[in-house]
Amino acid sequence: MLLLLHLHLHLHLLLFSSVTLALAFIAAPLEQHPLLPWHTSAQNAEVADNVSKARKLTGKFLHVTDFHPDPFYKYHSSTEEDDACHRGQGPAGILGAETSDCDSPISLINATFEWIDQNLKDSIDFIIWTGDSARHDNDEEIPRSEKQVEDQNRLLVTKFVEVFGKEDNINDTDPTNDLTIPIIPTFGNNDILPHNIFAPHAIQWTTKYSSIWEKFIPESQRHGFQWGGWFFVEVIPDKLVVFSLNTLYFFSSNSAVDGCADRLEPGYQQMDWLRIQLQFLRDSGKKAILMGHVPPARTDSKLSWDETCWQKYTLWMQQYRDVVVGSIYGHMNIDHFMLQDFNEIDLKVMEGKVQSLSREAFDDELTAQSTADYLEELRVEWSELPDPDTAKFGGVGNFENLEHHVDSDRAKRDKRKQKSKRDYLRRIGGEWGERYSSSLTGPSVVPNYFPTLRVIEYNITGLDRHALGKVMDHEAVGARQGENYNESQEEFEGDGVSPERKKKKKKKNKHRKPKKPQFIVPDPPSSTAPPGPAYSPQTLTWLGYTQYYANLTEINDDFVSDSALPASSDSIGGESWHEGKHQGEIPSEKNPKPGGYKFEYKIEYDTRHDKIFQLRDLTVRNLVELASRIGQYKPKRDDRIGNDDETGFNVEVKDCNDNEMDVYIEDEYEETTRESYEEMVAQKKKYKKHKKHKKHKKHKKHKKHKRRKAINKVWFTFVKRAYVGAIDDPNLHDEFGQPILGDDPFEVSEL
């Protein structure tokens, strides 16, 4: 009798659990709970532990993005828009049509994984794979289908398994235990159909990818992934977690959703889920990496995320700056980084109650010209960052000139230095630059420029000795120095008013109690807590990265001799489709065996040994200081292009000494300021608007705005690397050099 009663009760509980799970799957609750109980994460920890048992940590991980494999790619086909490397005769190389808008041939995919197998397989701890693993829908004669998108993603999964699959687990039925290291994927805007459109709770796609990515998504994360397409993986047990964000729910080009302000929107729910998980990480002493496809790019005129999502993400980055180690994205195909300024947080905008500055959405696929405009806007904004030299030299910005400009009295000079340093630290958020967070955006495998890979190095001090407990050594890191930046963040604990607005409204609203925001605002770090790994060098801090590229012009060997590479005729241009540097050329038949050089990824640069960027590590303050140097229109002497063998540029501004150089910059390059660049940008926008309403006569074209050669080698290096070195110096100077103002932007000239 007791046995029957026990059996009946057991069946009843099973039925109740099934119904509850089904209801949860149909309608997830708004008040989300952590998908994994962190203090009892036996299953998840076991999976991660099994992965890392066979090998010691190397302190490196791989970031790879935007493969865009195209099984319809044809060797020596046309790169013109109507052919898209699928038909015709033209310069499409056997391993890809570099600097064109064609997608990747399968030969490039195979060669890339073969190189990873031979060169990186045993030296990385995990892989961050940030999406866009299907071809673009750029050929009307071969429209994409759901099956194509699935098959192309499965192809890449197969390639990862070929390189990183285990050979000794034939009888293992757990798919998440099939790999030697964790691999974390995410949705790209071309990994769905139609591209960009990811509807709320798109079960159709999340179910497909639950199967495609079954080796990558922990079992405990499957339900949450099927609900919204987001999940996390504990890549170092009890130490480090990687969050795969579904950025398509933040993407301004996704017309199926509407930001992160409404509680019913998947963007809101994902942000709430992320907040809960980051809080559990803080409570358990773990750290996080955030990854996604579309980056939170934002300038004065453009943005890639809905503003409410950018606002909430930036607030999360601020409040959990002790937890988040860094963030990584893809999508834009160019090599760069971006900063989020916490002073721009506005809780009312976050709630959708007020509109922010009017910003247009980026094109869902950036053209070469829109990319150039974006980089210039970044520079304009970075020109307003505090100059780090003022903190060193008391506001003069140049040590050689210091004694000619300051009082000879040492005490007064020291006082001025101290005040300048205090002002500088106040403006960047204290000793560690905690006014900002940063995001890295990696260039692509698809050869819109050259194919690339990136290996990021991080600090593993102590991880081999401490299997449990907190990674961070509080005594080694030390408390925050200078003014306590946490005190300036307390306004976000309920009133929703930024520091600047508080000062202006203090008298007016003296007796009015501010309203609390309509969502949970996370607590900031404890005022006694040390800064996190993103701000202060410590365990898990990102130390630097090595950027690899494959020079397809050399490797394809269709248009080069053995002695030298020709100068490219490719300009950055404003066309919506780019035919590439070999447009209009027909390759010779001199190579009966195509691909004259061995395929390999070479080092383009290494931030740890780079004498131009001069990054000691990838902490936020170092990136803020680099951004400030990039933004200088009148750079200090060490940052000027000149007779410097270290730059690798074929440029000499002038053969002159330092004093002559100062005169040269003043006379020859005028006083280039933020205003001059804003005028130039305004003229470009005016021309684009003008172009829509006026048809030019045949054989006429717009006269490009005149520029001189660039003089800031940090800025020039930044844009050269953004395009992975695939654009020649003269074209870069033509696009990104010093502007010459005063000419008519609407003037046309004969071809």
Side-chain angles (χ1 to χ4, degrees):
M1 184 67 179
L2 287 173
L3 181 61
L4 289 173
L5 182 62
H6 178 74
L7 182 61
H8 176 76
L9 180 61
H10 183 66
L11 290 172
H12 183 75
L13 287 172
L14 282 175
L15 179 61
F16 177 77
S17 300
S18 301
V19 171
T20 302
L21 181 60
L23 289 173
F25 189 78
I26 295 171
L30 289 176
E31 182 59 36
Q32 300 181 55
H33 298 284
L35 299 174
L36 185 69
W38 290 95
H39 297 291
T40 59
S41 56
Q43 183 180 6
N44 194 62
E46 182 181 357
V47 170
D49 190 48
N50 288 337
V51 167
S52 59
K53 263 182 182 178
R55 56 199 302 169
K56 291 184 178 180
L57 291 176
T58 65
K60 297 178 181 178
F61 66 90
L62 173 66
H63 177 213
V64 61
T65 191
D66 292 79
F67 280 99
H68 290 292
D70 184 358
F72 303 102
Y73 182 100
K74 286 186 169 40
Y75 171 51
H76 280 181
S77 61
S78 169
T79 59
E80 293 182 5
E81 184 173 10
D82 290 339
D83 297 321
C85 291
H86 295 159
R87 294 172 294 279
Q89 186 177 8
I94 191 168
L95 287 161
E98 73 275 23
T99 72
S100 79
D101 283 343
C102 292
D103 285 326
S104 302
I106 302 304
S107 58
L108 175 61
I109 306 300
N110 291 335
T112 294
F113 278 95
E114 182 179 349
W115 189 89
I116 291 173
D117 186 27
Q118 295 173 356
N119 296 274
L120 298 179
K121 179 179 178 179
D122 298 321
S123 60
I124 53 177
D125 299 327
F126 54 93
I127 297 173
I128 288 178
W129 170 24
T130 50
D132 261 11
S133 305
R135 74 180 180 96
H136 291 94
D137 201 1
N138 56 14
D139 188 346
E140 293 181 356
E141 295 188 26
I142 313 176
R144 295 199 316 165
S145 65
E146 288 190 13
K147 186 176 186 307
Q148 285 181 26
V149 172
E150 290 180 59
D151 289 348
Q152 288 157 27
N153 270 273
R154 288 188 187 278
L155 168 67
L156 287 174
V157 170
T158 299
K159 303 307 292 183
F160 275 115
V161 173
E162 285 177 1
V163 177
F164 296 100
K166 288 183 177 179
E167 299 177 356
D168 57 351
N169 64 336
I170 299 175
N171 298 321
D172 190 340
T173 59
D174 180 6
T176 62
N177 196 31
D178 290 348
L179 303 171
T180 58
I181 60 174
I183 299 172
I184 308 94
T186 194
F187 284 109
N189 62 309
N190 287 287
D191 294 328
I192 52 176
L193 203 68
H195 78 291
N196 297 341
I197 308 303
F198 201 97
H201 318 304
I203 304 299
Q204 170 194 4
W205 287 107
T206 55
T207 301
K208 289 180 188 294
Y209 279 93
S210 287
S211 172
I212 295 171
W213 293 341
E214 65 173 352
K215 298 181 187 301
F216 307 141
I217 305 174
E219 183 65 33
S220 60
Q221 299 288 300
R222 297 289 174 83
H223 170 59
F225 175 80
Q226 286 199 318
W227 176 252
W230 53 75
F231 68 102
F232 60 78
V233 176
E234 193 166 355
V235 294
I236 303 179
D238 295 316
K239 304 298 180 187
L240 182 63
V241 177
V242 175
F243 286 88
S244 177
L245 303 178
N246 184 357
T247 56
L248 301 188
Y249 283 145
F250 309 148
F251 193 24
S252 55
S253 295
N254 182 4
S255 58
V257 295
D258 190 20
C260 299
D262 191 319
R263 293 172 64 87
L264 297 178
E265 287 292 331
Y268 180 103
Q269 295 167 11
Q270 182 174 194
M271 284 295 184
D272 211 36
W273 168 82
L274 180 61
R275 173 186 60 80
I276 291 169
Q277 304 307 325
L278 291 176
Q279 185 60 48
F280 271 84
L281 287 182
R282 174 184 282 167
D283 294 342
S284 57
K286 300 174 185 175
K287 304 300 177 186
I289 292 174
L290 307 185
M291 60 165 279
H293 180 64
V294 181
R298 181 177 179 267
T299 66
D300 283 344
S301 66
K302 295 284 185 85
L303 79 173
S304 59
W305 287 11
D306 182 274
E307 179 68 11
T308 60
C309 299
W310 185 92
Q311 287 280 341
K312 192 167 284 189
Y313 172 85
T314 302
L315 176 59
W316 270 216
M317 294 293 283
Q318 178 191 40
Q319 303 300 77
Y320 290 110
R321 62 189 184 276
D322 57 327
V323 176
V324 177
V325 177
S327 59
I328 300 179
Y329 300 92
H331 178 65
M332 299 182 80
N333 297 336
I334 55 172
D335 178 355
H336 71 298
F337 66 96
M338 56 194 69
L339 302 173
Q340 293 84 42
D341 186 350
F342 300 155
N343 280 6
E344 297 187 19
I345 294 174
D346 189 326
L347 298 190
K348 291 183 179 179
V349 173
M350 213 175 297
E351 294 179 300
K353 292 180 178 179
V354 298
Q355 294 293 323
S356 64
L357 292 174
S358 177
R359 291 181 172 90
E360 297 178 1
F362 281 106
D363 300 331
D364 59 340
E365 303 293 342
L366 269 69
T367 65
Q369 187 59 58
S370 62
T371 298
D373 292 343
Y374 165 66
L375 293 173
E376 282 186 341
E377 283 197 63
L378 278 184
R379 189 188 187 190
V380 169
E381 293 184 10
W382 290 351
S383 70
E384 288 195 333
L385 290 170
D387 183 357
D389 279 349
T390 61
K392 300 175 185 176
F393 307 126
V396 177
N398 186 311
F399 182 78
E400 291 89 337
N401 294 330
L402 177 63
E403 60 186 6
H404 300 295
H405 293 275
V406 298
D407 195 294
S408 59
D409 183 274
R410 182 175 297 275
K412 289 183 179 180
R413 185 175 62 194
D414 291 345
K415 187 176 181 180
R416 182 178 176 181
K417 284 183 181 180
Q418 292 170 6
K419 182 179 183 302
S420 295
K421 184 174 182 179
R422 286 196 303 270
D423 289 344
Y424 172 74
L425 294 180
R426 176 183 54 78
R427 292 183 64 192
I428 67 169
E431 186 76 16
W432 309 106
E434 291 178 285
R435 171 181 162 178
Y436 302 94
S437 63
S438 63
S439 302
L440 301 184
T441 302
S444 57
V445 173
V446 64
N448 290 153
Y449 304 108
F450 284 137
T452 68
L453 304 170
R454 175 175 290 178
V455 175
I456 298 176
E457 187 173 353
Y458 66 102
N459 191 330
I460 57 172
T461 302
L463 291 181
D464 54 341
R465 298 193 303 271
H466 302 287
L468 297 173
K470 293 187 177 181
V471 171
M472 186 163 52
D473 183 350
H474 287 204
E475 291 183 2
V477 174
R480 290 181 172 84
Q481 301 178 31
E483 297 175 342
N484 192 331
Y485 190 58
N486 278 319
E487 293 177 1
S488 66
Q489 306 310 318
E490 293 175 357
E491 67 275 359
F492 293 120
E493 296 182 16
D495 60 16
V497 183
S498 63
E500 289 78 5
R501 295 189 177 188
K502 276 186 108 175
K503 292 179 181 179
K504 293 179 181 179
K505 296 184 177 182
K506 189 173 182 180
K507 293 182 179 179
K508 186 176 179 181
N509 300 329
K510 189 173 181 180
H511 302 292
R512 175 185 284 181
K513 187 176 181 180
K515 294 181 180 179
K516 290 186 177 181
Q518 300 301 308
F519 61 90
I520 298 175
V521 177
D523 291 330
S526 166
S527 60
T528 59
Y535 295 89
S536 172
Q538 58 192 273
T539 303
L540 296 178
T541 291
W542 291 354
L543 303 174
Y545 61 81
T546 302
Q547 189 65 45
Y548 293 92
Y549 78 110
N551 188 329
L552 292 189
T553 305
E554 283 185 349
I555 296 167
N556 286 329
D557 195 28
D558 284 322
F559 299 98
V560 299
S561 65
D562 293 336
S563 58
L565 297 178
S568 168
S569 61
D570 186 38
S571 63
I572 291 176
E575 302 85 1
S576 59
W577 175 272
H578 228 214
E579 295 182 30
K581 65 196 303 180
H582 305 302
Q583 56 184 316
E585 298 182 51
I586 302 297
S588 66
E589 299 299 328
K590 68 181 179 69
N591 286 328
K593 197 172 183 181
Y597 290 79
K598 176 185 176 183
F599 180 88
E600 65 176 331
Y601 280 91
K602 298 179 180 179
I603 295 177
E604 181 191 6
Y605 66 98
D606 179 352
T607 63
R608 299 205 69 184
H609 306 97
D610 181 43
K611 295 184 179 180
I612 298 177
F613 279 5
Q614 300 173 11
L615 286 167
R616 297 180 295 278
D617 53 42
L618 300 181
T619 51
V620 171
R621 180 170 172 181
N622 284 331
L623 290 172
V624 170
E625 291 182 356
L626 173 59
S628 176
R629 292 171 60 217
I630 290 170
Q632 295 294 321
Y633 298 133
K634 295 175 62 178
K636 63 181 182 180
R637 289 193 184 93
D638 290 345
D639 286 346
R640 297 172 191 163
I641 294 178
N643 300 327
D644 185 354
D645 294 335
E646 300 294 341
T647 64
F649 305 146
N650 298 318
V651 177
E652 289 187 0
V653 173
K654 191 175 182 181
D655 185 12
C656 57
N657 59 37
D658 286 343
N659 292 332
E660 290 173 335
M661 178 68 79
D662 290 334
V663 174
Y664 183 68
I665 290 176
E666 293 293 340
D667 294 345
E668 194 71 14
Y669 287 90
E670 306 169 353
E671 292 193 12
T672 306
T673 62
R674 174 187 170 89
E675 287 71 24
S676 68
Y677 260 73
E678 286 180 333
E679 181 181 343
M680 181 190 67
V681 172
Q683 286 181 349
K684 279 189 174 184
K685 292 178 181 177
K686 187 177 179 183
Y687 171 71
K688 289 177 183 177
K689 186 176 180 181
H690 169 84
K691 190 176 179 182
K692 291 180 181 178
H693 301 287
K694 181 178 180 179
K695 292 183 179 179
H696 292 287
K697 295 179 181 179
K698 195 175 182 180
H699 303 304
K700 301 275 187 176
K701 70 174 183 178
H702 166 55
K703 183 178 179 181
K704 188 174 179 63
H705 198 78
K706 293 181 180 177
R707 290 174 181 265
R708 294 184 176 95
K709 288 181 178 179
I711 59 173
N712 183 337
K713 73 180 178 185
V714 189
W715 160 245
F716 193 81
T717 302
F718 177 69
V719 294
K720 189 178 181 71
R721 291 173 176 175
Y723 294 105
V724 201
I727 307 297
D728 293 325
D729 287 2
N731 289 322
L732 288 175
H733 281 290
D734 190 42
E735 184 67 36
F736 298 108
Q738 301 289 97
I740 306 173
L741 301 177
D743 54 328
D744 182 3
F746 304 127
E747 185 180 349
V748 294
S749 60
E750 295 289 343
L751 280 171

